[in-house]
Amino acid sequence: IQLTQSPSSLSASVGDRVTITCRASQVIGSYLAWYQQKPGKAPNLLIYDASTLHSGVPSRFSGSGSGTDFTLTISSLQPEDFATYHCQHLNSYFLTFGGGTKVEIK
Amino acid sequence: QMQLVESGGGVVQPGRSLRLSCAASGFTFSRSAMHWVRQAPGKGLEWVAVIAYDGVNIYYAESVKGRFTISRDNSKNTLYLQMNNLRTEDTAVYYCARISKEYLAAVPLDCWGQGTLVSVSS
């Protein structure tokens, strides 16, 4: 299964609403997670099962979708949200990740 | 709190070997399946291997199968990745990560180490 994220990068301002999409090459139900990665750091889990917010993650982050099309939305971009976001197909093994979306400051 | 700390990375020539370690603390290591994930410089994340809690069920990405070996020592709370016959394309930051299940399961990677850099170059 291949995951295609779009866009690969975007520029936005603090307070903007940001949407990132992830498209799977096959139907994967709701088996999708989103991670945030800051430069030089490990990824951190944001959302799993397509829409469940991981413990401690701010409520401005939300996920939606099922089947092949998924979205990550940041309702009001904060300075600490500038990072790269990765989607991942939740699987027992042969995990796959999207190519990443870099969110930069406009 | 849960913590994973990788070590063992470095610069190595093509064809040589390296062993990575991942020390776990803050959770019951023996009750968690563990993954290795790598990230080449400026690239996305690539899954490498997974091992169940008891070391019985193991899977590898095709790109490393036959060259890399994942293992664990639950008495030492440590995960390993033995990397043989290294290639330049293996150059990456290697992360260990856990899932909250003993067996291989379709659940997220909820704790990651800080990563260790492996550079394969002549």
Side-chain angles (χ1 to χ4, degrees):
Chain A
I1 293 176
Q2 295 180 333
L3 297 178
T4 303
Q5 282 184 240
S6 60
S8 56
S9 66
L10 64 90
S11 296
S13 301
V14 173
D16 284 353
R17 181 182 182 89
V18 170
T19 298
I20 298 168
T21 66
C22 180
R23 175 164 289 177
S25 59
Q26 300 176 38
V27 172
I28 59 171
S30 296
Y31 288 101
L32 192 94
W34 291 96
Y35 300 85
Q36 177 193 68
Q37 185 179 29
K38 296 183 179 179
K41 301 294 186 181
N44 284 313
L45 176 64
L46 294 175
I47 288 168
Y48 60 95
D49 293 345
S51 61
T52 302
L53 208 62
H54 184 53
S55 175
V57 174
S59 59
R60 62 181 180 274
F61 290 93
S62 64
S64 64
S66 66
T68 60
D69 294 317
F70 302 85
T71 60
L72 171 69
T73 300
I74 309 172
S75 60
S76 178
L77 199 65
Q78 298 301 299
E80 60 268 30
D81 300 336
F82 291 95
T84 298
Y85 295 85
H86 306 273
C87 60
Q88 180 224 330
H89 173 218
L90 295 173
N91 202 0
S92 300
Y93 44 92
F94 301 142
L95 309 186
T96 53
F97 294 87
T101 296
K102 186 174 184 179
V103 177
E104 298 175 301
I105 302 173
K106 182 183 285 185
Chain B
Q1 72 282 13
M2 295 189 295
Q3 189 173 18
L4 296 168
V5 179
E6 300 94 338
S7 61
V11 180
V12 63
Q13 293 179 326
R16 304 299 291 266
S17 299
L18 209 57
R19 187 177 85 155
L20 306 182
S21 299
C22 168
S25 61
F27 66 97
T28 306
F29 178 73
S30 60
R31 297 182 67 180
S32 288
M34 298 293 296
H35 292 258
W36 285 101
V37 176
R38 68 185 180 183
Q39 187 170 34
K43 301 297 184 181
L45 300 167
E46 180 189 15
W47 175 77
V48 174
V50 63
I51 185 169
Y53 78 106
D54 56 1
V56 172
N57 288 301
I58 290 172
Y59 291 90
Y60 298 96
E62 283 300 318
S63 58
V64 307
K65 195 171 184 180
R67 301 187 298 122
F68 289 12
T69 301
I70 188 172
S71 62
R72 64 190 298 159
D73 186 339
N74 288 342
S75 69
K76 296 182 178 179
N77 290 341
T78 302
L79 175 73
Y80 302 100
L81 185 67
Q82 176 67 43
M83 304 184 294
N84 297 333
N85 191 20
L86 282 160
R87 305 168 179 169
T88 55
E89 56 264 35
D90 295 320
T91 294
V93 174
Y94 285 73
Y95 298 101
C96 60
R98 74 144 222 173
I99 65 170
S100 60
K101 300 291 184 184
E102 295 177 342
Y103 296 96
L104 308 188
V107 296
L109 306 172
D110 65 357
C111 179
W112 297 61
Q114 85 288 352
T116 187
L117 176 62
V118 173
S119 181
V120 184
S121 173
S122 55

